[in-house]
Amino acid sequence: MTSSEIRSRFLKFFEERSHRVVRSSSLVPANDPTLLFTNAGMNQFKDVFLGRERRDYTRACSSQKCVRAGGKHNDLEQVGRTTRHHTFFEMLGNFSFGDYFKKEAIPWAWELVTKDFAIPREKLYVTVFREDDEAEEIWATSVGVPRARIFRFDEKDNFWAMGDTGPCGPCSEIHYDLGPKASDLGHTDCAFPCDCGRYVELWNLVFMQFNRDEQGNMTPLPRPSIDTGAGLERFCTVLQGKVSNFDTDLFRPLIKEAADLANVEYGTSHDTDVSLRIIADHARAAAFLISDGVLPSNEGRGYVLRLILRRALYHGQTLGLNEQFLYKLAGEVVAMMKDAYPALIETEHHVAKAIKIEEDRYKQTTQVGVRELHLTRPHLSDDALEIYKTTPITFSGPLGVDSALSLFANRPTFEIWTMVCSRRQNDAHIRKMVTSGSAGVVPGPELFRLHDTFGLRPDFVEDIVKNCGLTVDREGYEAEMQKQRERARASWKATTQQTVSPAYLNLPGTVFEGYETLRSKGCIVRGIFKLDAPALRELEPGEEGEVILDRTPFYAESGGQVGDAGWLYDSDGKTVLADVHGCTKLLGTHFHKVRARRHVEVSDLVNPVVNQELRISTMRNHTATHLLHAALRHTLGTHVKQAGSLVAPDRVRFDFTHYAALDPQDLLDIEDLVNERILANEVVETQELELDAAVNSGAMALFGEKYADKVRVLSINDFSRELCGGTHVSRTGDIGLFKIVSESSVAAGTRRIEAVTGAGVLKHLREASATLALLAEALRAKPDELLQAVEKLTESEKRLRKQLESQQRKQAAAQAGDLVENAVEVKGVRVVAARVEAADRAAMRQMVDNLRPRLGSGVIVLGSVADEKVSLVAAVSKDLTDRLDAGKIAKAAAVIVEGTGGGRKDLAEAGGKNPAKLEEALQAVPSIIERML
């Protein structure tokens, strides 16, 4: 049975039992700061389990894309070295939201496994929580599993919790016996539950039946739920008769492709096999992560993606793959998975380009890292130098990094590194590597830095240095890695997530009338709330609270669009009872944020009225974001996806995935394209469709949004078609005009455009015009002559600067004579140490050059202050560099002014942040030199 058949059969089984087949959510969790990546099937249903969201169904099933690499769940280092750890995997699951429970979930799981999938019962074992008598009884009595095959375990193995508080409950697992050949420890007759690798967990059934409070007390949930998870990869292993997940049809084509590219054979070498498995796994993770909008960076999700990519690239290098190769594997991933995940087809080009860019960056960074490793090498031993002398390879000059890298795959490591190090053995930058006073060891922090900053993995470094008599501090490296993991966990620390307060659970839903009208009549006040307080009966004048109505024209904040503002009038529509300054929604109920002007109480009849000016401005901006999104995809490519937005009355802020800054012409093209559609005055059409029908019709589902069973589809001719529940203009011409105000970066791989429409454009143009008028007045020029006026001003500034520099040189020359006359002698060495007036260090270096011929043999140290910062320049004549070092002199003087510095033996610079200590530093120069002599 193929992986596609297994996936389809699982979903079909539960669909036949009244489950809604729900599409996989993005690997980037929607509005969930507790997760780095989606790592379980239940993630997209978390708010449903917590009672914060209601769906149109109470039963669901899915095949969910998951990544476990970084944060709390991190399998990265195990991938490739075991038979079933992965960064990317698919989790099959069925879910009940207060519908069925154990009596249905357990028999269904057993039926699917033993009948539909025909897995032999004698190969299966079941585990339950130690106190879950009910589950054991169902397994034994209703299903017929022998009690000898049912095992009870503690909380560590068979109790699940969403967090420290909130929903939790016992779980039950189905395990499969892969046989003795699967044992990692060579066991031939071990019994379940031996953890040698022979027995694999197939399916975990979570019975969410308690709510745990902050004191640890557990109370039964009023509507117990079901959350199950089964790894598709493990099901494939069992149903395809394999021992390793990597031998299934989900991985073997990728492994074969990688092996062919590297001209190696899978199954002939342990190390080669590990590398091939890692490459195959990481290619899958990279393709899906990039397709879902993640791009390599130095923080958060992008950093984890970069680690995944670089780990794959490193293992490619060990196989001799020194040219770009990983993007080809990503293309194979698309070919294999496109039927299950059609979005991969649309992003294929973007994924390939992003991986190519990272492959180039990795090569460059690795070269820098290798150079860095050169600089941390000690002098070679006599034995190592002798090896170099007898090596058959010769070079016309010093061995470059590029040469070293190109030779790495074809020459013994010691030959390359002996030559590299010996060519540099007299370089002043070479430093001894010392750890805890022991020479010849690459310290743990340095080893971690080479890995973290330059992509040089510890085994790579170890292989390079071991033939030159060095070892690496693995323990120190692991300690640094653990610190990094803790930092990563802290940055994505799971926040406490409570279930919704019972006070909100049974509130009546609000009928939204705001698509058709901005004014409703005769609405009933159903409830009044204040934050962290019990429900109220009334609000007095001046009090603030949240009012619930049975019907409302107020749009509740969602989809990036801000909530409406306006007023609540009395039943006559003449007197304002309260000002509404926002509206939010929870579980289908609209909460109007109000400040009462008059007495308001539950059961009052009110007439809610939306601020028309603000709503219409918001509608212009919202429709403009759809035009902008379409224009970005048309101009930059279909890889562009919305990554967040703010639609307010006064502006549009639109975040989107793209890997480079937009050049001015791109911005003009995008702006022109949007305005073309506005001037065409095209009809903005909305229609309600089933979610699947809407997506299949080509409508885009946006990043971070959760959609109901029925959705609104907004179409603008054939230019834009998106799912959107926001409010919009009826024709594009109503927008008026569109103007991009700024384009910037908000994160790696994410750009931001801010724009204005309608009256906002007029305001922006007037402000720009006023600025031009002020400039024209200041430059005494007409607005259309400003460019020429600025050019004249620039030329004048350059001319004056040259005159100033010329005058400074003359003054410096005159000053040089005085400084030389005042030179002091220290043990036969003439020393000039003086404060000078100079615009910058370049001017100070010029002064040094003027002084050198006048002084002859000696030392020069000049200091100056600019912008409350100290600058020092030190110079030593060539004949004294065997005894004195300008870098050390500058550094010693800089300590006094609370700074640092360094440089060559003959010329060095330093800086400091304490101008008050400059004279003291200069007076100390003779004594510094005296100590060195």
Side-chain angles (χ1 to χ4, degrees):
M1 190 179 293
T2 68
S3 55
S4 294
E5 291 170 339
I6 296 168
R7 187 191 297 112
S8 298
R9 188 168 293 189
F10 182 96
L11 298 175
K12 185 69 174 176
F13 178 90
F14 285 103
E15 185 178 29
E16 291 170 348
R17 287 154 182 79
S18 304
H19 287 63
R20 176 68 51 80
V21 178
V22 181
R23 291 170 178 268
S24 170
S25 63
S26 169
L27 286 169
V28 179
N31 304 316
D32 190 344
T34 69
L35 291 174
L36 184 62
F37 298 113
T38 298
N39 59 25
M42 63 80 62
N43 290 164
Q44 67 168 309
F45 304 114
K46 185 185 288 188
D47 283 348
V48 183
F49 285 123
L50 288 170
R52 294 174 177 157
E53 180 188 351
R54 289 195 183 106
R55 297 282 178 101
D56 298 332
Y57 46 85
T58 57
R59 299 180 178 188
C61 61
S62 68
S63 179
Q64 174 64 49
K65 301 176 291 186
C66 298
V67 164
R68 290 186 177 175
K72 179 181 177 182
H73 299 284
N74 188 356
D75 293 339
L76 186 59
E77 292 302 320
Q78 296 299 317
V79 173
R81 305 185 189 281
T82 71
T83 60
R84 48 186 170 268
H85 279 96
H86 304 291
T87 50
F88 171 85
F89 62 97
E90 293 177 78
M91 186 174 285
L92 305 170
N94 60 291
F95 309 90
S96 164
F97 312 121
D99 188 332
Y100 63 84
F101 201 49
K102 297 178 188 178
K103 291 180 180 179
E104 295 84 6
I106 291 173
W108 282 342
W110 191 254
E111 180 183 352
L112 178 59
V113 169
T114 60
K115 292 184 179 179
D116 284 56
F117 288 149
I119 296 175
R121 293 174 176 234
E122 62 271 16
K123 288 277 193 178
L124 299 172
Y125 294 85
V126 170
T127 66
V128 297
F129 181 55
R130 66 165 187 266
E131 299 171 8
D132 197 349
D133 298 332
E134 180 186 7
E136 179 175 347
E137 195 61 30
I138 294 171
W139 281 114
T141 305
S142 301
V143 174
V145 176
R147 291 190 186 272
R149 286 182 170 267
I150 302 174
F151 293 77
R152 293 191 180 223
F153 290 111
D154 293 333
E155 285 89 349
K156 178 178 178 294
D157 297 300
N158 280 84
F159 196 90
W160 180 90
M162 191 176 291
D164 294 335
T165 61
C168 59
C171 60
S172 182
E173 298 171 343
I174 301 175
H175 294 256
Y176 178 80
D177 180 4
L178 287 169
K181 60 183 178 181
S183 173
D184 297 328
L185 303 178
H187 295 173
T188 57
D189 57 356
C190 61
F192 183 83
C194 182
D195 61 358
C196 67
R198 172 175 174 171
Y199 302 95
V200 58
E201 175 196 324
L202 267 187
W203 203 343
N204 186 13
L205 316 178
V206 175
F207 310 126
M208 212 177 294
Q209 63 187 93
F210 300 109
N211 185 60
R212 181 158 50 196
D213 62 23
E214 293 178 353
Q215 285 72 44
N217 301 316
M218 291 191 294
T219 55
L221 289 170
R223 298 174 65 206
S225 298
I226 292 291
D227 159 29
T228 82
L232 174 63
E233 293 75 11
R234 295 187 181 187
F235 260 120
C236 289
T237 296
V238 172
L239 294 174
Q240 293 174 12
K242 307 298 182 182
V243 170
S244 167
N245 293 358
F246 290 99
D247 290 333
T248 67
D249 65 346
L250 289 169
F251 291 93
R252 281 311 291 264
L254 294 171
I255 290 173
K256 182 180 184 304
E257 176 76 7
D260 289 346
L261 289 171
N263 196 27
V264 297
E265 186 176 349
Y266 185 64
T268 59
S269 163
H270 174 267
D271 290 344
T272 297
D273 290 353
V274 168
S275 292
L276 289 171
R277 290 195 291 264
I278 287 171
I279 291 169
D281 174 276
H282 291 8
R284 282 169 31 110
F288 275 94
L289 282 170
I290 295 171
S291 180
D292 277 356
V294 182
L295 286 172
S297 71
N298 289 326
E299 59 187 12
R301 298 182 179 101
Y303 179 66
V304 176
L305 173 58
R306 175 161 284 167
L307 287 180
I308 290 170
L309 286 167
R310 293 192 171 188
R311 191 166 185 258
L313 294 173
Y314 162 74
H315 280 276
Q317 283 184 335
T318 66
L319 299 177
L321 290 168
N322 294 316
E323 299 302 321
Q324 291 182 337
F325 72 93
L326 194 58
Y327 78 95
K328 299 177 183 177
L329 271 294
E332 183 69 19
V333 173
V334 174
M336 293 170 58
M337 306 291 282
K338 63 185 179 183
D339 291 338
Y341 302 99
L344 287 171
I345 301 171
E346 186 177 315
T347 58
E348 182 175 8
H349 174 73
H350 167 59
V351 169
K353 185 169 184 178
I355 292 177
K356 281 183 179 179
I357 290 172
E358 188 63 16
E359 290 195 79
D360 283 339
R361 185 176 285 123
Y362 174 75
K363 183 176 181 180
Q364 295 165 6
T365 305
T366 303
Q367 290 176 357
V368 174
V370 170
R371 185 178 296 112
E372 189 73 11
L373 188 57
H374 293 185
L375 300 178
T376 58
R377 294 279 292 109
H379 296 306
L380 291 178
S381 64
D382 291 340
D383 291 341
L385 286 173
E386 187 59 34
I387 295 173
Y388 164 63
K389 292 175 183 176
T390 58
T391 182
I393 306 174
T394 58
F395 294 89
S396 57
L399 177 63
V401 173
D402 289 339
S403 305
L405 286 173
S406 64
L407 286 168
F408 179 76
N410 303 313
R411 285 285 181 178
T413 307
F414 76 86
E415 288 186 8
I416 299 165
W417 286 97
T418 300
M419 287 183 291
V420 171
C421 298
S422 64
R423 295 285 186 180
R424 299 181 61 90
Q425 63 177 317
N426 294 318
D427 195 317
H429 295 295
I430 295 177
R431 304 189 299 272
K432 288 259 186 179
M433 289 186 290
V434 180
T435 240
S436 302
S438 301
V441 179
V442 182
E446 179 67 15
L447 193 61
F448 174 78
R449 188 177 73 88
L450 288 167
H451 179 197
D452 189 56
T453 306
F454 302 107
L456 303 185
R457 294 181 59 79
D459 36 3
F460 180 90
V461 176
E462 185 175 30
D463 187 48
I464 286 172
V465 302
K466 68 183 179 183
N467 291 299
C468 292
L470 293 174
T471 59
V472 296
D473 176 18
R474 283 275 187 172
E475 288 187 7
Y477 168 81
E478 289 300 333
E480 295 297 320
M481 280 295 293
Q482 184 58 34
K483 291 177 186 176
Q484 184 200 55
R485 293 187 190 104
E486 290 168 0
R487 288 193 296 269
R489 273 192 209 101
S491 67
W492 291 92
K493 189 175 181 180
T495 57
T496 299
Q497 292 207 320
Q498 300 284 359
T499 52
V500 172
S501 169
Y504 294 98
L505 285 177
N506 299 313
L507 292 175
T510 306
V511 177
F512 177 58
E513 300 176 341
Y515 291 131
E516 296 81 24
T517 182
L518 299 181
R519 180 188 298 264
S520 297
K521 293 182 179 180
C523 300
I524 303 171
V525 176
R526 293 294 195 191
I528 299 175
F529 290 86
K530 277 190 175 182
L531 187 65
D532 299 328
L536 306 174
R537 291 291 306 171
E538 59 189 7
L539 285 177
E540 296 297 337
E543 284 191 298
E544 294 185 349
E546 294 183 321
V547 172
I548 297 170
L549 306 177
D550 62 336
R551 295 175 292 111
T552 184
F554 281 81
Y555 181 83
E557 178 182 343
S558 64
Q561 180 176 330
V562 299
D564 281 329
W567 308 270
L568 297 183
Y569 282 82
D570 64 6
S571 58
D572 294 332
K574 296 179 180 179
T575 304
V576 176
L577 299 178
D579 296 304
V580 181
H581 50 83
C583 185
T584 59
K585 184 166 62 176
L586 176 66
L587 298 174
T589 301
H590 287 230
F591 291 78
H592 303 77
K593 299 177 181 179
V594 307
R595 182 180 180 85
R597 291 195 194 182
R598 295 177 181 272
H599 180 84
V600 180
E601 66 177 67
V602 174
S603 298
D604 278 353
L605 286 179
V606 299
N607 292 342
V609 178
V610 173
N611 185 314
Q612 180 174 334
E613 181 182 352
L614 294 180
R615 164 68 86 81
I616 291 176
S617 294
T618 302
M619 289 161 62
R620 289 193 190 102
N621 285 338
H622 202 157
T623 305
T625 63
H626 285 241
L627 293 175
L628 172 60
H629 193 186
L632 283 164
R633 290 169 62 84
H634 180 86
T635 305
L636 304 178
T638 55
H639 66 275
V640 170
K641 291 183 180 180
Q642 180 175 333
S645 69
L646 171 67
V647 180
D650 60 333
R651 70 191 188 283
V652 168
R653 189 183 71 210
F654 190 83
D655 297 344
F656 58 98
T657 56
H658 189 58
Y659 33 75
L662 276 61
D663 61 45
Q665 189 58 52
D666 283 336
L667 291 173
L668 288 175
D669 291 344
I670 292 163
E671 195 173 77
D672 287 346
L673 194 51
V674 172
N675 282 306
E676 281 177 19
R677 294 290 169 167
I678 291 172
L679 294 173
N681 198 27
E682 295 171 324
V683 173
V684 178
E685 182 184 358
T686 58
Q687 59 184 140
E688 276 200 358
L689 295 173
E690 296 286 334
L691 177 59
D692 287 342
V695 173
N696 291 335
S697 73
M700 288 186 62
L702 301 184
F703 172 88
E705 287 301 306
K706 296 178 180 178
Y707 297 100
D709 185 33
K710 279 196 171 182
V711 294
R712 286 170 63 87
V713 179
L714 184 114
S715 304
I716 304 171
N717 207 334
D718 58 354
F719 186 65
S720 171
R721 186 173 176 82
E722 295 186 16
L723 306 185
C724 184
T727 61
H728 293 270
V729 296
S730 59
R731 301 187 75 96
T732 58
D734 296 339
I735 297 171
L737 200 60
F738 173 83
K739 176 66 181 172
I740 293 175
V741 175
S742 67
E743 190 273 340
S744 60
S745 171
V746 290
T750 304
R751 309 297 303 177
R752 170 173 291 172
I753 280 179
E754 297 194 61
V756 290
T757 66
V761 177
L762 182 60
K763 180 183 177 184
H764 176 76
L765 292 176
R766 283 175 174 169
E767 289 174 350
S769 179
T771 301
L772 285 175
L774 290 172
L775 284 172
E777 183 180 353
L779 294 173
R780 297 179 182 178
K782 296 178 181 178
D784 58 354
E785 297 173 350
L786 277 175
L787 183 58
Q788 296 92 319
V790 170
E791 289 174 347
K792 288 180 181 179
L793 187 64
T794 302
E795 288 299 321
S796 176
E797 189 269 342
K798 288 180 181 178
R799 187 168 58 255
L800 290 172
R801 184 177 292 278
K802 286 182 179 179
Q803 292 175 1
L804 178 62
E805 290 174 352
S806 175
Q807 185 63 31
Q808 286 177 339
R809 283 195 296 271
K810 291 177 182 178
Q811 290 178 350
Q815 191 177 15
D818 296 337
L819 293 176
V820 171
E821 287 182 8
N822 294 322
V824 298
E825 192 168 305
V826 179
K827 292 188 176 181
V829 175
R830 300 180 72 196
V831 177
V832 172
R835 176 170 181 164
V836 295
E837 297 300 323
D840 50 31
R841 289 188 186 178
M844 294 175 70
R845 288 194 297 271
Q846 183 63 48
M847 288 184 178
V848 169
D849 290 340
N850 291 335
L851 280 169
R852 281 183 188 272
R854 293 172 179 263
L855 181 67
S857 177
V859 177
I860 301 166
V861 179
L862 303 182
S864 70
V865 176
D867 299 326
E868 295 301 312
K869 293 180 180 179
V870 177
S871 293
L872 294 167
V873 176
V876 175
S877 57
K878 295 286 186 181
D879 62 310
L880 297 175
T881 53
D882 60 334
R883 303 162 61 197
L884 295 172
D885 187 325
K888 292 180 179 179
I889 295 170
K891 188 172 184 179
V895 171
I896 299 173
V897 292
E898 300 176 19
T900 188
R904 304 194 308 266
K905 283 194 170 187
D906 64 323
L907 183 65
E909 298 178 9
K913 55 185 178 182
N914 191 345
K917 293 286 190 77
L918 177 57
E919 292 298 334
E920 180 183 339
L922 293 171
Q923 291 173 8
V925 169
S927 59
I928 292 171
I929 293 170
E930 185 174 14
R931 287 195 299 271
M932 296 176 71
L933 290 171

